[in-house]
Amino acid sequence: MGPFVPELISDSLNLVVALVVGIGFGAVLEQAGFSSSRRLAGVFYGYDFTVLRVFFTAAVTAMSGILLLGYFGFLDLEAIYINPTWLQPAIVGGVIMGVGFILGGYCPGTSVVAAAIGKLDGLFFVLGGFLGVYAFAELYPRFQTFNDSTSLGALRVYDSLGIPAGWFAFALIAMAVMAFAVTTVIEKKVNPEGAPSLAFSTRRHLAAGALLLGLGLVFLFLPDRKTRLIESVSAAGYADSHPVKRMPVDELAFLLVEKVPDLLIVDVRSAERFSALALPGSVHAPLRDLFGKEWISSFSPRRVKKVLVGGDEKEGVVAAALLRELGYENVSALEGGLDKFRATILEPAAFVPAGNRWDGALKEFREKARVEIRKQIAESAKKSAAPPKKEKKIQGGC
Amino acid sequence: MTSRYMNPYLAGFLLGLVLLSAVFISGRGLGASGAVKSLVGEAVYRVAPAHAAQSPFYSSYVGRDKEPAWKTWLVFEVAGVILGGFLSGLASGRLRWVTEAGPGVSRTRRWGLATLGGALFGIGAQLARGCTSGAALSGMAVLSTAGFVTMMAIFGTGYACAFFARRLWIGTKGA
């Protein structure tokens, strides 16, 4: 399962990969004609839309590949680098680059290719890039505050818009196909003699467009990531290949009695069952809520022991597995679920001796735990007469 | 002349595959400006190590306790871009010392504007944490919000300024 860094591919081998990837990148840019500044600038004047065609096709291809590889489990989408968002710096930086594009006729990648085949204007552009970075670095203390402002983290665009990833992928593909069609019409009007699109076979391009839209439809009907992840951790074989740590009921009782810090009990049962009986200090989060950003700060610290509590053991195990898939560590599931906890600690029927020499101490401990934890439950019930405050979910970032 | 270049959709598809393999193998996208940042930092560190250590910008990625800045993924990738571009130009017979400029734009003016454009990219790419390839293209491929914001800002500004820069590219034809 990709990515292969850092487990399968060492740091130095990764540099070789970078070199090979770069060779492919450079060769494709050159073959596409991106070493020509006039061709690149054409996208802004309508006489040559090569940039838009290559750029959008590449973005759609890579995005589709990443989504499909992720969907079929070949690529860990949580492990790859997601460009973090600093909203205002991204806009201002983009505006500055836009001015640089129209004046300079290149962007950094294309200027390198242009310089590589002898374009002197490309060479000057590369030189300018060095000067620009140097100037920025020297003036950095003045911009530092702005540079680090409006940080939104590794935000995904579909989360910003509040829609499933598949819908966004479909919308992007549909927009790309539309843009391809419209710009081809414009290009032929603006540049009736030299438009690159004059060489296209209309029938083949229509077929390709239809195929692309078909791919978009596939994304529309792929289940979203939440559904898929929940399904994958609930699947029959999953528990065997990815064993989840269980916490015995007595251990949890001990942690509660001793009021051990850095313990977070996460109750994933339904809201009704949670309000009927909740362990002291526990938080309520049904399975689909565990994805939420509001949990990141409480779940992330490794030292915090996260105990997932379901009605039965399976419910907790699925939730614990899900939490682990989401990248959190120090996660366990309550053995036997709350049903067993209740039957063993809170409302024990009769003590079942295990037949070893700790029976006496265990029986004594459980009696003490029953009294203490019931007291804690009563106290926390009094405290939270008001419904437990649920942190507001971030909906639509920008 | 146009027909000598690859069909743009095919080129885009291949570029997408290159980007996809970078993400699949190395877990990260393509880039260009990051290599410039590394090399500038490395050069300043070699020439004036005390200055580099003082600067909050350089000291975040170059220094005695850091890996040499030239030994980074993007520097090797850009070395590959130079090589790949050169080999492709060689194969297609496009190796020539030439300055490309819009009609009526002198060589020195073109060089000056190219330098200015490059400098603006150098600055903008620091704020946006990447350029057209690193922030916009690679960011879009992994569906990062930053990727789309940066892409729209770059191309939106390009279109907004196109009218004022028309003499640089289409001469008086569009005036």
Side-chain angles (χ1 to χ4, degrees), chain A residues 85-150:
Chain A
T85 301
W86 282 267
L87 190 57
Q88 286 172 15
I91 295 171
V92 173
V95 168
I96 294 173
M97 288 191 274
V99 176
F101 207 153
I102 199 83
L103 292 180
Y106 289 112
C107 60
T110 53
S111 72
V112 168
V113 172
I117 63 160
K119 296 273 168 71
L120 293 169
D121 46 335
L123 205 56
F124 276 99
F125 190 99
V126 173
L127 180 78
F130 280 90
L131 295 177
V133 174
Y134 180 70
F136 183 88
E138 294 304 319
L139 298 172
Y140 179 67
R142 289 191 204 186
F143 306 127
Q144 195 169 3
T145 320
F146 176 71
N147 191 53
D148 297 337
S149 66
T150 52

Side-chain angles (χ1 to χ4, degrees), chain A residues 26-215:
Chain A
V28 173
L29 289 181
E30 205 285 328
Q31 286 299 319
F34 274 22
S35 56
S36 159
S37 52
R38 290 204 64 202
R39 203 178 169 86
L40 293 170
V43 74
F44 296 117
Y45 298 98
Y47 61 79
D48 190 329
F49 280 104
T50 303
V51 170
L52 180 129
R53 295 184 183 115
V54 176
F55 187 87
F56 259 105
T57 312
V60 163
T61 304
M63 175 202 70
S64 306
I66 290 168
L67 285 178
L68 288 174
L69 287 174
Y71 179 78
F72 290 110
F74 295 116
L75 178 65
D76 183 357
L77 297 189
E78 304 301 316
I80 62 175
Y81 177 76
I82 309 294
N83 305 53
T85 301
W86 282 267
L87 190 57
Q88 286 172 15
I91 295 171
V92 173
V95 168
I96 294 173
M97 288 191 274
V99 176
F101 207 153
I102 199 83
L103 292 180
Y106 289 112
C107 60
T110 53
S111 72
V112 168
V113 172
I117 63 160
K119 296 273 168 71
L120 293 169
D121 46 335
L123 205 56
F124 276 99
F125 190 99
V126 173
L127 180 78
F130 280 90
L131 295 177
V133 174
Y134 180 70
F136 183 88
E138 294 304 319
L139 298 172
Y140 179 67
R142 289 191 204 186
F143 306 127
Q144 195 169 3
T145 320
F146 176 71
N147 191 53
D148 297 337
S149 66
T150 52
S151 166
L152 303 177
L155 185 63
R156 313 272 188 145
V157 64
Y158 48 86
D159 287 333
S160 295
L161 301 171
I163 55 172
W167 293 15
F168 185 84
F170 171 74
L172 186 72
I173 289 174
M175 267 177 354
V177 171
M178 260 191 307
F180 294 153
V182 172
T183 53
T184 297
V185 174
I186 295 175
E187 189 181 79
K188 284 179 179 163
K189 278 217 172 110
V190 173
N191 191 2
E193 281 119 51
S197 49
L198 290 172
F200 297 168
S201 137
T202 309
R203 208 188 307 161
R204 274 190 7 216
H205 280 72
L206 282 178
L211 208 69
L212 205 54
L213 275 177
L215 176 71

Side-chain angles (χ1 to χ4, degrees), chain B residues 12-84:
Chain B
F13 178 69
L14 293 177
L15 179 55
L17 290 186
V18 170
L19 173 51
L20 180 61
S21 49
V23 173
F24 185 56
I25 300 171
S26 298
R28 49 167 307 151
L30 304 171
S33 52
V36 177
K37 178 187 172 183
S38 293
L39 295 177
V40 167
E42 180 74 10
V44 170
Y45 175 64
R46 294 271 175 95
V47 174
H51 179 64
Q54 252 177 24
S55 152
F57 185 82
Y58 298 125
S59 61
S60 66
Y61 68 101
V62 289
R64 216 178 307 156
D65 53 335
K66 306 261 192 323
E67 280 275 300
W70 59 268
K71 246 179 109 177
T72 54
W73 201 91
L74 280 179
V75 172
F76 276 72
E77 183 236 32
V78 169
V81 171
I82 297 171
L83 194 60

